[in-house]
Amino acid sequence: MTEHVVIVGGGTGGTVLANDLADRLDAELDAGDVRITLVNDGPDHVYKPVWLYVPFGQREPDDGRRPLDELVDDAVDLRIDRVSEIDTEAQRLRFDGTAPAVDYDYLVLATGSTLEPERIPGLVDGGYDYYSEVGSTALRDELLEFTEGHLVLSVIGTPHMCPAAPLEFVFMADDWLRERGLREDVDITYTYPIQRVHGNPHIAEWARPIMDDRGIEVETFFNAESIDPEAKTITSMEGTELDYDLLVTIPPHGGIDLIEEAGLGDNGWVDVDKHTLEAQAVDNVYALGDTADTGVPNAGSVAHYQAGVVGQRLASEVRGRPPTATYDGKTLCFIETGMDAASFVEFDYENQPSPAPPSEKLHWSKLAYNDSYWLTARGLL
């Protein structure tokens, strides 16, 4: 009998996994013992870290977009469709419209995060973001016209994609404004929902002195409750109100409703064993990347490393062997500290991050990785 592995989501985790399995199970695919299907709701693969650079004119949105059919191994069945139901009892996926259902033997959910700005009154009309293609271009246009006033970066949604990106934005904005001779006319304030500037205390301890040295004001324990676009104010649940001239936010994030409807976890995140990445509620289901509730950052490197683990485990299962590969929490991240310098962190479940001293070398290393990312998506790096 041919076993069917279905991956839902064509982001970093899903695409890397599809190519990983095509390589690992090459003989089984040739023999007809296994099929691999990748389902995505659109034809393109999007590399979202590019969006950080769009507001500063360093990148174009198209730099982070490639057709999935150019990235995915020919041995993988690519299906462009939207899943409407996950039936874990029947091990079946249903789709919008009249498209036929698909049965699976193993299911991997890599559906990622979605932005939910409508959860905060006034945010849709009152704030900008760089966590979407349209948001990054709109912010670019606004930032180019911004020459004086109060720039507020407010982290509203946690957890969120690319946890270091809010720090990166204010560091880059500070440097970019200085290069243009505008920094003295622009105040920058950074807000964060807890009593430090980042969720990880070691990164927060490293970042705060840099912010202080550069005159970036900080408001911690600031949980945004509402925004008044006409008055240009943002108010927190704690009662703090800030005036702004330009508001940049990290909007609330959520998963997809299908996951909760299928009984796999709350808020669109799958409850998994943080080492095996297997769903806790049902058998034969894995999750990775943002979708997997492991407690590690929602970062592309996490999805990449997790894809390798899930690939090894699925290959073992298809071959009738006990899976032994486990994920150790490995995460790595470059952190831009300006327009021409960056830091780097690497950590896991057992070892805490220790950010490297910022350097131009690390900045160029990050840019080089961004340019070579397509090799990662293809499973070549």
Side-chain angles (χ1 to χ4, degrees):
M1 183 184 74
T2 300
E3 296 201 281
H4 193 193
V5 178
V6 179
I7 305 162
V8 181
T12 296
T15 302
V16 171
L17 176 60
N19 287 323
D20 180 274
L21 287 173
D23 181 54
R24 290 183 192 276
L25 297 174
D26 181 60
E28 288 81 1
L29 285 162
D30 286 345
D33 295 332
V34 66
R35 291 172 54 211
I36 304 167
T37 298
L38 174 62
V39 181
N40 197 54
D41 59 5
D44 290 340
H45 177 97
V46 178
Y47 181 52
K48 297 176 181 179
V50 164
W51 293 335
L52 172 66
Y53 299 89
V54 172
F56 303 104
Q58 301 293 307
R59 288 288 187 273
E60 295 295 328
D62 284 348
D63 294 337
R65 182 180 294 275
R66 298 280 177 89
L68 266 173
D69 60 10
E70 295 181 4
L71 300 176
V72 176
D73 193 288
D74 290 341
V76 176
D77 296 325
L78 177 61
R79 177 166 180 168
I80 307 304
D81 216 333
R82 184 178 294 274
V83 177
S84 61
E85 182 184 357
I86 303 170
D87 185 340
T88 57
E89 185 173 345
Q91 297 198 172
R92 179 173 297 135
L93 301 179
R94 297 182 177 86
F95 300 88
D96 287 348
T98 59
V102 168
D103 292 337
Y104 65 83
D105 295 289
Y106 301 101
L107 175 65
V108 183
L109 296 170
T111 47
S113 299
T114 58
L115 303 185
E116 299 178 347
E118 65 280 355
R119 284 165 46 185
I120 304 297
L123 178 53
V124 172
D125 296 324
Y128 292 85
D129 75 84
Y130 52 96
Y131 271 60
S132 63
E133 186 171 307
V134 65
S136 66
T137 54
L139 178 56
R140 175 190 62 196
D141 296 343
E142 185 68 19
L143 199 57
L144 285 171
E145 300 294 325
F146 188 68
T147 58
E148 61 181 357
H150 190 194
L151 168 61
V152 175
L153 183 288
S154 184
V155 179
I156 298 177
T158 57
H160 58 78
M161 296 179 281
C162 299
L167 294 172
E168 291 183 291
F169 182 85
V170 291
F171 291 152
M172 292 172 71
D174 169 72
D175 202 10
W176 187 75
L177 289 165
R178 290 181 192 277
E179 289 177 353
R180 300 176 68 215
L182 299 173
R183 185 63 174 92
E184 290 186 358
D185 298 318
V186 176
D187 296 321
I188 300 177
T189 298
Y190 175 96
T191 82
Y192 204 74
I194 60 176
Q195 290 282 36
R196 54 179 183 259
V197 299
H198 190 272
N200 185 291
H202 300 273
I203 295 176
E205 184 179 358
W206 163 81
R208 183 61 190 263
I210 300 175
M211 302 172 95
D212 292 342
D213 287 346
R214 297 191 186 180
I216 298 170
E217 297 297 322
V218 172
E219 288 279 349
T220 56
F221 206 51
F222 187 100
N223 290 271
E225 184 174 45
S226 64
I227 294 157
D228 187 333
E230 292 187 6
K232 289 195 171 184
T233 58
I234 177 170
T235 303
S236 73
M237 296 177 185
E238 295 76 25
T240 303
E241 182 179 279
L242 293 175
D243 297 323
Y244 67 84
D245 295 290
L246 175 58
L247 176 63
V248 183
T249 70
I250 313 305
H253 285 42
I256 62 171
D257 294 338
L258 293 176
I259 288 172
E260 189 163 0
E261 292 167 2
L264 294 170
D266 297 331
N267 302 316
W269 318 124
V270 179
D271 294 327
V272 297
D273 181 294
K274 72 177 186 177
H275 295 290
T276 68
L277 305 173
E278 294 172 296
Q280 294 183 340
V282 296
D283 294 330
N284 302 323
V285 176
Y286 286 89
L288 54 79
D290 295 5
T291 312
D293 189 3
T294 59
V296 298
N298 291 354
S301 65
V302 169
H304 181 188
Y305 293 124
Q306 290 177 343
V309 170
V310 174
Q312 292 179 63
R313 295 185 67 85
L314 286 172
S316 295
E317 298 204 64
V318 166
R319 293 165 180 157
R321 305 168 188 164
T324 59
T326 56
Y327 174 62
D328 62 2
K330 185 175 181 179
T331 307
L332 63 83
C333 181
F334 291 96
I335 306 174
E336 297 282 21
T337 55
M339 301 305 294
D340 59 4
S343 178
F344 175 81
V345 293
E346 183 174 4
F347 54 100
D348 55 38
Y349 289 140
E350 301 297 329
N351 300 289
Q352 295 299 327
S354 179
S359 69
E360 186 176 4
K361 178 181 177 181
L362 287 172
H363 165 71
W364 285 107
S365 295
K366 176 168 185 175
L367 296 187
Y369 177 77
N370 287 344
D371 286 341
S372 64
Y373 167 76
W374 305 109
L375 296 176
T376 296
R378 290 186 173 96
L380 301 175
L381 186 65

